[in-house]
Amino acid sequence: MTHVLILGGTAEARDLAALLEAKGVPLTSSLAGRVSRPRLPVGPVRIGGFGGVEGLTDWLREQQVSAVVDATHPFAATMGAHAAQVCSSLRVPLLRLARPGWVQHPDAASWTWVGDHVAAREAADAVGGTPFVTTGRQTLHHHVEAWAERPVLVRLVEPPEAPLPDAWTVLRSRGPFAVADEEAIMREHDVRVLLTKDSGGRFTEAKLDAARHLEVPVVVVSRPARAEGVAEASDAVAAAAWVEDQVGD
């Protein structure tokens, strides 16, 4: 039996699920469960972790999965590593579906690229003024102590995991965002440096254009390394074609 597992939570994963569902390919989309009201794909969905490598191994065996597409967020390195390890051991075909990053953005050469969130904070310190942090709630612990007394603007989809300093301002919203709106936010809060990560995609790219218009420096956390030897696709159409090659008669 054909059964495709999509490790999802991204727009690309939802697009792929829709394409495979339309083609009649049996699938399950898996979401980590970190967002309280996620955008759900079409077709069967499971929510929650697998329980590490052992749990994922058991699930693939029990469900007789014939192919896996890792369409998780570009920074979901742990899930990607687990998928690569399990699929290799079970000899299940694995594809990494990842949207292109912002390395090819016209302004990329003018940004400060760093390898982690501590380095991003240090780069922001070199600029001074109010930072606009858009790297997600799971990264904020890198900054709380160092910036406890500093005005910081943070944008989150979900509430913060722990109380944040009184000097901080939290915006709760989810993309896509418009350039004009991003400019207005940066002006209102007197943003002097933008901290982001190389997520790529169209939903959150507007802040980069707004930063250029306002001459706000940008600090970008580079993507983590992924397992070597895994096939890759940059869009859902290519991923769907790969799936059909793997599960076709």
Side-chain angles (χ1 to χ4, degrees):
M1 292 179 59
T2 294
H3 185 189
V4 177
L5 172 63
I6 302 175
L7 301 172
T10 60
E12 293 75 22
R14 293 190 294 274
D15 291 344
L16 175 59
L19 290 172
L20 296 183
E21 180 85 356
K23 296 174 181 294
V25 177
L27 64 94
T28 299
S29 294
S30 178
L31 308 183
R34 292 175 178 168
V35 178
S36 59
R37 298 173 60 187
R39 296 186 176 108
L40 295 177
V42 300
V45 177
R46 69 173 301 279
I47 296 179
F50 289 95
V53 169
E54 183 177 350
L56 180 58
T57 299
D58 291 342
W59 199 90
L60 294 189
R61 283 174 172 158
E62 291 168 2
Q63 301 298 321
Q64 299 181 1
V65 170
S66 47
V68 176
V69 178
D70 174 13
T72 55
H73 190 276
F75 282 77
T78 299
M79 185 70 254
H82 289 176
Q85 181 179 341
V86 172
C87 288
S88 176
S89 65
L90 297 180
R91 297 186 179 180
V92 172
L94 171 65
L95 175 74
R96 171 65 184 150
L97 169 56
R99 72 188 73 140
W102 288 322
V103 175
Q104 301 302 322
H105 189 282
D107 301 329
S110 68
W111 302 335
T112 299
W113 290 81
V114 296
D116 57 48
H117 297 283
V118 173
R121 187 186 71 237
E122 293 171 347
D125 284 338
V127 176
T130 300
F132 183 14
V133 182
T134 65
T135 52
R137 62 175 180 164
Q138 294 181 342
T139 69
L140 298 182
H141 67 279
H142 294 291
H143 312 311
V144 168
E145 183 176 352
W147 287 348
E149 306 297 329
R150 179 176 180 174
V152 176
L153 179 63
V154 178
R155 181 159 62 204
L156 304 172
V157 175
E158 296 288 308
E161 297 180 330
L164 298 177
D166 292 338
W168 291 26
T169 300
V170 177
L171 304 178
R172 291 279 310 283
S173 58
R174 183 195 306 228
F177 303 104
V179 175
D181 294 337
E182 298 288 67
E183 289 184 19
I185 288 172
M186 292 185 189
R187 287 194 182 98
E188 177 184 354
H189 296 276
D190 193 26
V191 169
R192 295 309 173 107
V193 58
L194 171 65
L195 268 66
T196 188
K197 56 188 180 184
D198 188 19
S199 301
R202 62 190 184 279
F203 277 20
T204 59
E205 188 174 9
K207 63 191 172 188
L208 302 173
D209 295 330
R212 179 180 68 248
H213 296 164
L214 299 177
E215 298 184 345
V216 170
V218 178
V219 179
V220 186
V221 180
S222 299
R223 292 184 176 187
R226 289 284 184 159
E228 297 182 357
V230 177
E232 296 183 358
S234 60
D235 59 60
V237 173
W242 178 89
V243 169
E244 289 190 285
D245 286 343
Q246 302 304 315
V247 303
D249 294 331

